[in-house]
Amino acid sequence: MKLSYKLITLALAFGAACGWSLAEERLSTDQLRDLVEQGETGYMATYATRLLFGDGTEADIKLGRELMEKAAAANKPDGKYGLGLCYYYGFGAFDLSQTYNYMLGASEAGYKPAFNSLGHCYEEGLGVASNYHQARRCFFQSSGDLDSQCMAVKLLDYRRTPFAVNPREVGQNINQALAMFGNAEQVAMTPTVYEFLYNAQEQSRSAIAKKLAHKSGNKKRLSAAELYNWGRLYELALATNAVSEKDGTRQMWEYYKDSAQRKFVPAQIAIARLQARSRDEQGLASLKAYSETGYWQAKQALLELYETQEAPKMLSGDDYTALLQELRQKGYHGASTKLAEYYASTAKDSAKAWQYTLAAADDGEAIGCYKAAEFYRTGKDAGAGVTVKPDPEKAYAYLHTLCRDLPRADYQRLDMCRAFTNLGNMYYYGKGCPQDTNQAEEWYNVALNTRGGEKLEANYRLGSLYIEKTDKRQLGAEMLRGVAASSSEYAKSARYLLTKHKL
């Protein structure tokens, strides 16, 4: 049984949401209700969370949302944080831009869990343009829990940054995260923890198996949220072969069903998702119903079903594009790129594909920025069959966005070394921006420190700069000799410069 892990990489940590309840775990839901009714606003967000997720009580999204709004209006940081998650999960309304706004407000009030969620907003581009540097800043300011530790490992991954990484540093972070996972008293399978454990299968498999072997046998003592987390852990165990398929499948379903019977909506969505993946029309109908209600997990599941072709006859292209259009309007970073790719590869509509490519660039999406920069730099795009007069200012703007902010992208699909070199060239020649050889030198160096890509041009450009500087002339000559010995288009020019400077 092969279970896809991509769906589980939701940006905001569900475990953090459960953490609202855990903060008051010694109080029953009835006690929390009484305290709130007596005017104790400090317990309002915790009680609202129990209602929203059906944790220890019947789910009441309407009342939970109202209480969370009151807590936020009372300037309670946990209320702002909770309301941000309401907008994320679709409790009352789905709006990723509002998710970002409330997470930002909670973090500005010093609420530690909000830094982690705000980091996810920046990292995934939820309601705000993706920004790798801002994501790192937020995670470093977070509470230092397992989720943020796993995020540190994730940010070191080459799919999240084009730069070379230190294997020892990655290994240390992985070991530290695994130790935190093993020592955690409760299973909080946040999306980031799930993805981390899946990606580090060889190291984590034994830790997962050990965790399962020491689980509590009394399910009645577990909350609906805790039951759901155990279901997710078994789903992960199946995906990483840490448990037998027969036992793992049975346990996963049992935990999800027990949680769902207590009206815990994320568990109900998980069941609908698994049913839909098995070509169950009823499961797909339930998933669509949850999506229409506003639940983000259900929308993610539908996108996953279409993009992995798990149910190609169950979902139409119109369903897919309509969902992407809705998400794009709600601040889902990446929707324009997905639309462009759909029209290019599936619908075979090059005009619409290019329209959404440019929209992706204007939204600050990495692939769109890369393609738009090349288009305005060269004046043509072979794939779309369109041409335009080169526009250095637009090319510079898109390149600067791409290279400066490092938006989230699959960098294996982009030649970032080329992008950094081209930005250096624009500074060197003053095309689309003021001429600045210092900035050119900086970006050429960035190109040389990039993972992968052809670095001969960056070596030639930087060598040409250094050979004019007394203190760096020998280094420049060394770089140019390497280029001169190659068969590249820059070899002849490199030999000329070496001869000119008698080096």
Side-chain angles (χ1 to χ4, degrees), residues 358 361-362 368-378 388-402 423 426 431-433:
L358 293 180
D362 290 335
C369 285
Y370 183 89
K371 290 183 177 180
E374 285 293 284
F375 174 63
Y376 286 113
R377 190 178 67 84
T378 63
V388 71
K389 182 179 179 181
D391 189 328
E393 290 186 0
K394 286 187 177 181
Y396 166 76
Y398 289 126
L399 264 180
H400 196 246
T401 296
L402 175 67
L423 184 57
M426 300 198 86
K431 289 187 175 181
C433 61

Side-chain angles (χ1 to χ4, degrees), residues 276-451:
R277 286 170 60 86
S278 300
R279 309 295 197 272
D280 184 323
E281 290 285 354
Q282 183 177 350
L284 181 64
S286 296
L287 209 54
K288 286 183 175 180
Y290 282 118
S291 174
E292 290 170 1
T293 302
Y295 285 100
W296 176 231
Q297 300 106 310
K299 296 178 189 295
Q300 283 271 51
L302 289 173
L303 289 177
E304 180 79 4
L305 283 172
Y306 189 91
E307 290 169 1
T308 59
Q309 291 296 295
E310 292 285 351
K313 296 180 180 179
M314 301 170 77
L315 290 171
S316 69
D318 288 343
D319 291 332
Y320 180 63
T321 55
L323 180 54
L324 284 175
Q325 291 283 13
E326 176 199 350
L327 292 177
R328 182 170 180 259
Q329 293 173 0
K330 297 295 186 179
Y332 176 55
H333 201 69
S336 295
T337 294
K338 288 178 182 289
L339 283 164
E341 292 175 347
Y342 169 80
Y343 284 113
S345 61
T346 303
K348 306 297 183 184
D349 187 333
S350 59
K352 277 196 172 181
W354 186 243
Q355 170 191 338
Y356 282 109
T357 296
L358 293 180
D362 290 335
D363 291 342
E365 297 175 22
I367 294 174
C369 285
Y370 183 89
K371 290 183 177 180
E374 285 293 284
F375 174 63
Y376 286 113
R377 190 178 67 84
T378 63
K380 58 185 177 181
D381 180 89
V386 292
T387 59
V388 71
K389 182 179 179 181
D391 189 328
E393 290 186 0
K394 286 187 177 181
Y396 166 76
Y398 289 126
L399 264 180
H400 196 246
T401 296
L402 175 67
C403 297
R404 179 198 61 200
D405 293 334
L406 296 180
R408 177 181 182 270
D410 179 355
Y411 285 110
Q412 291 177 306
R413 302 173 62 186
L414 303 176
D415 188 344
M416 290 302 296
C417 181
R418 177 185 176 88
F420 293 134
T421 302
N422 285 338
L423 184 57
N425 290 341
M426 300 198 86
Y427 278 116
Y428 182 81
Y429 292 108
K431 289 187 175 181
C433 61
Q435 189 173 24
D436 189 333
T437 56
N438 290 328
Q439 282 285 339
E441 179 181 341
E442 178 181 331
W443 288 108
Y444 291 146
N445 272 305
V446 171
L448 292 177
N449 287 309
T450 302
R451 179 191 292 270

